[in-house]
Amino acid sequence: VDEAHHAREQRYGTRVTRTNLYRLVRDLVARPEQNRRAALFLTATPMQLQRHELYSLVEMLDPILFASEEDFVSHVEELSGLSQLADRLRTQGVPTDVDELKDLADQAARYIGTSFNTVVNELEGGQVDSVVRQLEASHRLSEVLIRNRRAVVGGFQPRHAYRWRVTPTDLEKAIYQSLQKVLEEGYALAAATNRNAIGFLMSSFQRLATSSNRALLASLRKRRDMVLTM
C-alpha cells in the first residue's frame, strides 16, 4: 500500500469517518479470514497523524500487538522520549561531558530495563549501535514500524526531466480554447470584484486541466450544479 498515510480513520467528536483507502486496505488485509495475508504499508510523507489514526494503521498490520487503543496510547506516552534519545545517540554519538553522559545513560537504562552501569560500559566501549538497537526494540511499534531516513538510504534516485512535443486532437484544442475563455473571464471577475475565491477556483481548474481530464470534468460539473441551484 503506497501513500499509506492516506488510509485514515478519523474522529470528529463522537463521529468517526474512514477514507476510501482505509476501507479498501481493511477489506484486503484486516478481515479475520485473511489473517495470514502479508501487508506492507509505505509512505515517504511525515506522518502528522493523531494517535487514534496511527493506531488504526497498526491494528490492521498486527491486531494483537496492542490490547486496545488505550494500551497503545499508554505505551506511546510512557516512551515519549525514547525516539529522540535514540536519534541523539545515532547522530551525535557518546557525549564527552560526564554529567551529560550519566543523564543519557540513566534515561537509556530506564527505557531498556537494564542497569545504569551496563549502559555506561556499552557506550564507553563504543557499542553505541547496540544501545540504539536495544532502545528501538523496547518500543512495541518497532514490531511493525521501520523508519529509514535519507542518511540511511543514501539519498534519492536522481531524476531527469524530458520534453516531448505532442500535437493535440481537434477535440482537445476545442476543450482548451473553451477553458481558456472561462479562465480569462474568471480572473477578470476576480480582479474587478476583489474576490480571491474566484481566482483560487480558476487556478484549481488550470491545475486539473494539466493533470486529469476526468477530474476537471467532475469539478466543472460540480461547479455548474452549484451555480444552477443558487
Side-chain angles (χ1 to χ4, degrees), residues 98-115:
V98 176
D99 291 334
E100 188 178 353
L101 172 60
K102 289 181 178 179
D103 180 61
L104 188 149
D106 182 61
Q107 293 181 60
R110 284 189 285 106
Y111 285 130
I112 296 171
T114 188
S115 70

Side-chain angles (χ1 to χ4, degrees), residues 71-124:
D71 178 37
F72 169 79
V73 172
S74 174
H75 182 72
V76 170
E77 289 180 348
E78 287 176 3
L79 303 181
S80 60
L82 186 150
S83 296
Q84 290 87 339
L85 183 61
D87 287 342
R88 179 181 169 190
L89 273 173
R90 186 187 294 107
T91 58
Q92 301 177 19
V94 181
T96 56
D97 181 81
V98 176
D99 291 334
E100 188 178 353
L101 172 60
K102 289 181 178 179
D103 180 61
L104 188 149
D106 182 61
Q107 293 181 60
R110 284 189 285 106
Y111 285 130
I112 296 171
T114 188
S115 70
F116 168 81
N117 290 333
T118 298
V119 176
V120 170
N121 291 336
E122 289 185 345
L123 292 177
E124 291 181 337

Side-chain angles (χ1 to χ4, degrees), residues 61-77:
L61 288 170
D62 189 342
I64 64 173
L65 184 60
F66 294 96
S68 64
E69 184 176 342
E70 289 73 22
D71 178 37
F72 169 79
V73 172
S74 174
H75 182 72
V76 170
E77 289 180 348

Side-chain angles (χ1 to χ4, degrees), residues 179-193:
L179 182 60
Q180 282 299 109
K181 184 178 179 181
V182 171
L183 294 175
E184 289 172 4
E185 293 177 354
Y187 280 124
L189 179 61
T193 61

Side-chain angles (χ1 to χ4, degrees), residues 1 3-10 16-30 41 52-60:
V1 181
E3 302 293 346
H5 57 280
H6 290 304
R8 295 189 180 196
E9 182 180 76
Q10 299 169 300
V16 177
T17 63
R18 299 174 177 86
T19 63
N20 289 334
L21 182 58
Y22 176 89
R23 293 191 184 96
L24 173 62
V25 174
R26 182 187 58 188
D27 287 344
L28 287 173
V29 303
F41 293 176
H52 61 267
E53 293 177 323
L54 182 57
Y55 172 72
S56 67
L57 289 173
V58 173
E59 188 181 32
M60 284 195 290

